[in-house]
Amino acid sequence: MDEDEAETDVAAIADALRDADTAVAFTGAGVSTASGIPSFRGDDGVWETEFDPQSFHVSRFRSDPAGFWADRLELHERMFPDDVAPNAAHDALASLEAEGHLDAVITQNTDGLHQRAGSEDVVELHGANHRVECQECKQKEDAEPARERARDGELPPTCRACGGPLKPDVVLFGEQLPTMAMHRARELADDADAFLVAGSSLTVEPAASLPRRAARDGHLSIVNFDETESDRYADVVVRGDVTEVLPEVEERV
């Protein structure tokens, strides 16, 4: 793509967001990897190179919660370095929302970086790494104290309220996406006049169906390094770095 074509496509995305009554962004791993968080999938993803996905299946948690948590701590240290921070793509989306040009962010990421950047309406399809949930009373709490107790040998860490086992508040293999989050995401996709995909390969269903839903009646833009299955439904496709393209879009809106 030459420079003039790229500028035209960026302008088209900005125009769609500016003119939309309802504008939604959908983000995937490509937005997080720019902050130094490894990808789970792909040839160099942690599922291919470092960890066995079955170790993080919900059945493993139920049958061997202590072993699950030991492996989960190792995965957490690999995936979420202490210095991880929002990048320019997160900042651009937060600015678009603050300026009234974006209504919500739907994300497949569990790192909480959208909220740290300032996005307020974030739909977390795969849950949140910064929370844990009690499997008995269903109370949710901050994950770091639970991780600290696990590091000190409490495997699994237990609920301070009822003593039940705590589970990371993320979608494990073998689990369905949260019903309310998926319902809200579908509503947003159906209502969106402009739907902006950023950094997602759009290979994991049912989340990957959202851009197709949005494209029925709205303007669909996709910003991603690689081709996606939904490119053929898109009005604009930009092959580029989300940390460069999204700030350019925000400047033009």
Side-chain angles (χ1 to χ4, degrees):
M1 179 182 298
D2 62 32
E3 185 174 341
D4 290 341
E5 184 178 358
E7 287 188 8
T8 299
D9 288 341
V10 167
I13 297 172
D15 290 344
L17 293 174
R18 186 188 313 110
D19 296 340
D21 290 328
T22 301
V24 178
F26 176 93
T27 65
V31 174
S32 292
T33 54
S35 287
I37 296 175
S39 174
F40 282 102
R41 293 177 173 81
D43 293 339
D44 58 351
V46 296
W47 295 147
E48 292 291 331
T49 61
E50 299 181 57
F51 294 93
D52 180 0
Q54 291 307 304
S55 296
F56 304 97
H57 197 283
V58 66
S59 62
R60 167 93 187 290
F61 171 77
R62 291 167 180 159
S63 64
D64 179 23
F68 170 91
W69 264 97
D71 288 341
R72 180 73 191 182
L73 288 174
E74 184 179 353
L75 176 68
H76 177 80
E77 297 302 322
R78 174 70 179 90
M79 293 297 299
F80 302 103
D82 291 338
D83 60 350
V84 69
N87 60 56
H90 295 106
D91 293 339
L93 293 174
S95 294
L96 285 167
E97 183 182 9
E99 295 159 1
H101 299 303
L102 192 67
D103 293 277
V105 175
I106 303 168
T107 188
Q108 296 172 290
N109 303 327
T110 65
D111 48 49
L113 292 180
H114 285 298
Q115 291 93 329
R116 285 177 57 186
S119 292
E120 296 186 1
D121 193 347
V122 181
V123 181
E124 295 171 313
L125 291 181
H126 293 167
N129 184 66
H130 59 84
R131 295 191 303 262
V132 289
E133 181 183 56
C134 176
Q135 296 305 282
E136 293 186 6
C137 71
K138 301 305 179 182
Q139 180 171 304
K140 298 187 186 216
E141 58 185 78
D142 182 60
E144 188 51 36
R147 285 193 289 264
E148 281 297 326
R149 297 199 300 274
R151 293 184 189 106
D152 290 340
E154 185 183 325
L155 296 172
T158 54
C159 176
R160 300 294 87 175
C162 75
L166 294 175
K167 170 186 167 295
D169 195 23
V170 298
V171 177
L172 302 179
F173 289 100
E175 288 190 302
Q176 299 294 317
L177 298 189
T179 301
M180 293 302 294
M182 195 63 203
H183 178 72
R184 175 95 196 287
R186 286 174 174 146
E187 283 189 333
L188 286 167
D190 290 341
D191 293 342
D193 303 299
F195 195 89
L196 169 60
V197 175
S200 176
S201 60
L202 301 177
T203 57
V204 180
E205 295 290 357
S209 67
L210 295 173
R212 298 195 297 272
R213 294 176 72 105
R216 294 172 186 169
D217 299 306
H219 183 281
L220 174 62
S221 306
I222 297 176
V223 180
N224 197 52
F225 272 126
D226 301 317
E227 293 182 3
T228 81
E229 289 294 323
S230 289
D231 285 358
R232 62 183 181 275
Y233 304 106
D235 298 278
V236 177
V237 176
V238 177
R239 296 273 168 266
D241 187 333
V242 292
T243 65
E244 297 176 359
V245 176
L246 296 191
E248 291 178 9
V249 169
E250 190 269 330
E251 287 181 3
R252 287 175 174 266
V253 173

